[in-house]
Amino acid sequence: MEKNTILFMRPVLKEKIWGGNRLSRDFGYDVGEDSRIGECWGISAVPGSETCVAEGPFEGKTLAQLWSEDRELFGGLNYEQFPLMVKIIDAAGDLSIQVHPDDSYARRVEGKPFGKTECWYILDCDRTASIIYGHNARTEEELKTMISEGRWDDLLCEIPVKSGDFLQINPGTIHAIKAGTMILETQQSSDLTYRLYDYDRVDKDGNKRELHIDKCIDNIRVPAERPRKPSTLSAAADIRNLMGDGRLGESFVLELFACRCYTVFEIRVGGSLRLKQPFPFLNMSVVDGFGEINEHPISKGDHFIVPCDFGNISLTGNLKLVASTVMY
Ligand code: ZN
């Protein structure tokens, strides 16, 4: 066991019909010139798309391998899989309108360990950007009618977003990212997505992507949940207790959201910041700037996991990070 080792991840890049070129242009990921890379999976143990360790004693091991061979790195947690996944999404076009199942539906219908609760931290977006979040149907009947009649404008709620916004998306919530938005998504380790509507788009061969209307109707909550503002102030004292009084000049830790599935933090470093690592593990993604973590250089686009019992984290430089963990 090497608990003083930071697990730097080699991301997995995904081409998407709605993808743009900012993951290579702004985040420096090594991709072909003309490819439309929509997603960078920075931390993932989803089978078939696992990130692996880029350097150090665990170099080349996938996150799933570490999970099965060295569970102490993750505080001995007993989930079936590493529980979280972190992505950066560059939407040059609109993503399909979709909904995700909860854990019990995922187990019962799909035979998978996790449903998908996810959350978005808006990294950057056009001035007029918006997202689809929730719907206007008052009853299940009305929902089914609006879907079968294709009354998407009546059904879907669209809300404006700006950079720095945070949105929690519970299972059963209709949602979609729209064009011109870059987000960091923290989610349960799952790729269960049910597509409700895809703007009748066709690929270059004239084929539409598959829809999953029945499974959508099984899962969509009626009436819809309204987006909630994260309650950052009440969490501040807890964070100080857990991670130390990090506030130092321009540097701070902010809890963005906590739920059964994850706790997500925003971390800013302007100079230096020392933190405790009291969690089973801490996922960290650099979303802006550059600097060092415990004297190892880091910059925008890096994703890494600080393991259990690592000791103090020392950050220096000018950095913006999004971090996540699960509670014991
Ligand atoms: Zn989603």
Side-chain angles (χ1 to χ4, degrees):
M1 258 196 331
E2 302 267 352
K3 286 196 166 184
N4 54 358
T5 300
I6 296 170
L7 306 170
F8 286 92
M9 293 281 129
R10 189 169 291 145
V12 175
L13 301 165
K14 304 262 181 185
E15 202 156 353
K16 299 282 176 182
I17 57 169
W18 42 259
N21 58 12
R22 296 185 62 184
L23 287 170
S24 57
R25 203 185 68 206
D26 297 355
F27 279 79
Y29 298 121
D30 189 13
V31 292
E33 283 277 297
D34 301 321
S35 50
R36 292 200 285 186
I37 300 298
E39 298 188 352
C40 163
W41 293 21
I43 298 173
S44 162
V46 169
S49 301
E50 295 117 329
T51 53
C52 63
V53 179
E55 59 176 74
F58 300 109
E59 185 174 348
K61 296 236 182 207
T62 66
L63 181 52
Q65 264 176 307
L66 289 181
W67 182 256
S68 60
E69 294 167 8
D70 261 300
R71 192 69 62 87
E72 287 308 303
L73 291 168
F74 313 99
L77 288 170
N78 62 2
Y79 298 93
E80 270 174 63
Q81 277 178 22
F82 181 78
L84 300 183
M85 181 171 151
V86 178
K87 284 180 189 177
I88 296 177
I89 299 176
D90 171 22
D94 296 337
L95 273 71
S96 62
I97 315 286
Q98 51 183 250
V99 67
H100 305 297
D102 62 13
D103 289 353
S104 74
Y105 191 92
R107 283 195 205 105
R108 186 163 49 83
V109 176
E110 306 284 2
K112 296 280 177 68
F114 300 117
K116 190 162 159 187
T117 298
E118 68 185 38
C119 62
W120 297 344
Y121 179 85
I122 311 284
L123 295 171
D124 192 23
C125 60
D126 297 345
R127 203 172 44 80
T128 55
S130 64
I131 57 158
I132 304 290
Y133 189 110
H135 63 81
N136 295 312
R138 287 157 299 182
T139 64
E140 190 107 349
E141 271 322 296
E142 197 176 20
L143 176 75
K144 287 180 187 164
T145 307
M146 288 168 111
I147 290 172
S148 68
E149 293 174 357
R151 287 161 53 201
W152 305 113
D153 289 346
D154 295 338
L155 178 66
L156 302 171
C157 295
E158 196 167 331
I159 58 175
V161 287
K162 59 183 190 317
S163 124
D165 280 357
F166 176 90
L167 287 129
Q168 167 76 358
I169 297 157
N170 285 320
T173 302
I174 296 177
H175 62 282
I177 303 170
K178 299 200 69 182
T181 306
M182 282 201 96
I183 70 165
L184 182 135
E185 179 173 290
T186 305
Q187 56 162 96
Q188 286 181 286
S189 180
S190 166
D191 55 0
L192 288 176
T193 295
Y194 303 134
R195 206 175 278 134
L196 179 66
Y197 176 55
D198 197 29
Y199 304 97
D200 299 313
R201 286 183 289 202
V202 292
D203 65 17
K204 56 184 186 309
D205 303 318
N207 299 315
K208 289 185 182 176
R209 294 195 292 176
E210 191 188 354
L211 301 178
H212 317 90
I213 302 291
D214 290 343
K215 286 181 175 175
C216 285
I217 289 170
D218 282 349
N219 283 282
I220 294 168
R221 287 204 216 173
V222 186
E225 254 186 292
R226 297 288 154 199
R228 281 180 290 176
K229 286 279 166 209
S231 54
T232 46
L233 284 177
S234 61
D238 298 344
I239 290 304
R240 267 198 295 284
N241 290 337
L242 279 172
M243 302 180 83
D245 193 355
R247 193 171 285 275
L248 229 170
E250 304 280 291
S251 305
F252 61 86
V253 180
L254 202 64
E255 182 181 294
L256 291 170
F257 198 79
C259 67
R260 196 176 61 76
C261 302
Y262 44 68
T263 301
V264 180
F265 308 100
E266 178 186 330
I267 300 173
R268 300 274 190 138
V269 182
S272 67
L273 179 67
R274 246 173 113 76
L275 298 170
K276 293 189 237 172
Q277 202 299 66
F279 309 111
F281 63 88
L282 187 64
N283 296 329
M284 301 183 91
S285 301
V286 182
V287 296
D288 208 5
F290 57 90
E292 293 185 348
I293 180 166
N294 294 51
E295 299 181 347
H296 184 296
I298 50 174
S299 61
K300 182 171 177 171
D302 286 343
H303 302 266
F304 45 90
I305 304 173
V306 181
C308 187
D309 293 335
F310 177 80
N312 286 325
I313 297 171
S314 163
L315 293 161
T316 57
N318 271 295
L319 293 159
K320 185 166 156 186
L321 303 102
V322 177
S324 55
T325 188
V326 297
M327 296 296 172
Y328 281 111

